[in-house]
Amino acid sequence: MRETISSERYITILEQFVSTQLALEDRPRIEWFMQDRARPHCTEKVFRFLDEYFGNRVIALDYLKFTGTGMDWPPYLPDLTPCDYFLWGALKDTVYGNHPSTLDELESTICVACNSISAETLKDVMSNFILRLRHLIFSKGEHLENIVFRLQRLLDLIFLDCL
């Protein structure tokens, strides 16, 4: 999407997401929706839309104040997006390392970079995400500062081998 994301455009994206979810109605609707504090995400129209589809299963800044349900964005909440800890940075390095100078070049470079992600890399991203969630549970939700999960994973494997 080349346009600036407004709350109206964001709702269009959400509608597409929800229509995909509705196509999977053979399973219970138990998912939670979590969004950051970007300005287009925190409007009355967006909150009404989220409330209609997700009800109290939303984690978002000011959502609780607006709807009276859901969960407010906790302070110092570590992002729970698997791609935030490695993949986005690696993609950004690849894309901007090619120095695209036009929007068309940028779009093309992004597509090439995304298509070049190996299955092994995606498995590692998800393994590290699961490990991060385990650390989050162990720390009872406290902020996790500067933990190197690849090293921790290696240490865990060595420890398990020693048992």
Side-chain angles (χ1 to χ4, degrees):
M1 180 176 287
R2 291 183 179 201
E3 299 86 18
T4 301
I5 300 293
S6 64
S7 62
E8 289 78 18
R9 286 194 181 108
Y10 183 57
I11 289 173
T12 300
I13 293 167
L14 289 173
E15 286 170 342
Q16 291 169 348
F17 171 75
V18 166
S19 68
T20 302
Q21 296 301 308
L22 289 174
L24 304 172
E25 275 301 308
D26 59 331
R27 62 184 180 82
R29 287 176 48 184
I30 59 169
E31 64 277 321
W32 279 66
F33 187 83
M34 180 178 187
Q35 69 179 16
D36 62 14
R37 60 180 6 165
R39 189 168 299 197
H41 298 174
C42 301
T43 67
E44 183 176 338
K45 287 181 184 179
V46 169
F47 286 161
R48 285 190 197 286
F49 180 87
L50 293 175
D51 186 51
E52 182 179 322
Y53 185 73
F54 293 100
N56 67 343
R57 299 180 325 270
V58 175
I59 302 171
L61 186 67
D62 295 331
Y63 184 77
L64 182 62
K65 289 179 201 168
F66 179 79
T67 64
T69 65
M71 183 184 298
D72 209 9
W73 190 278
Y76 308 111
L77 176 71
D79 250 334
L80 298 178
T81 306
C83 298
D84 279 352
Y85 300 100
F86 166 73
L87 195 55
W88 291 143
L91 282 173
K92 185 178 174 182
D93 290 346
T94 300
V95 168
Y96 288 106
N98 291 322
H99 306 290
S101 58
T102 67
L103 280 178
D104 288 334
E105 286 178 20
L106 178 61
E107 186 176 305
S108 174
T109 305
I110 290 170
C111 289
V112 168
C114 288
N115 288 329
S116 70
I117 301 169
S118 70
E120 189 62 32
T121 297
L122 293 176
K123 285 179 189 176
D124 284 346
V125 166
M126 291 311 299
S127 294
N128 282 314
F129 177 60
I130 290 166
L131 183 60
R132 187 170 189 79
L133 290 176
R134 287 182 180 149
H135 281 278
L136 188 62
I137 291 166
F138 180 75
S139 71
K140 295 181 174 53
E142 293 293 319
H143 188 63
L144 306 173
E145 288 197 32
N146 303 321
I147 295 177
V148 180
F149 286 96
R150 287 185 180 271
L151 176 60
Q152 185 62 49
R153 182 173 168 212
L154 178 61
L155 292 173
D156 289 346
L157 292 173
I158 292 169
F159 177 73
L160 290 175
D161 284 343
C162 292
L163 293 179

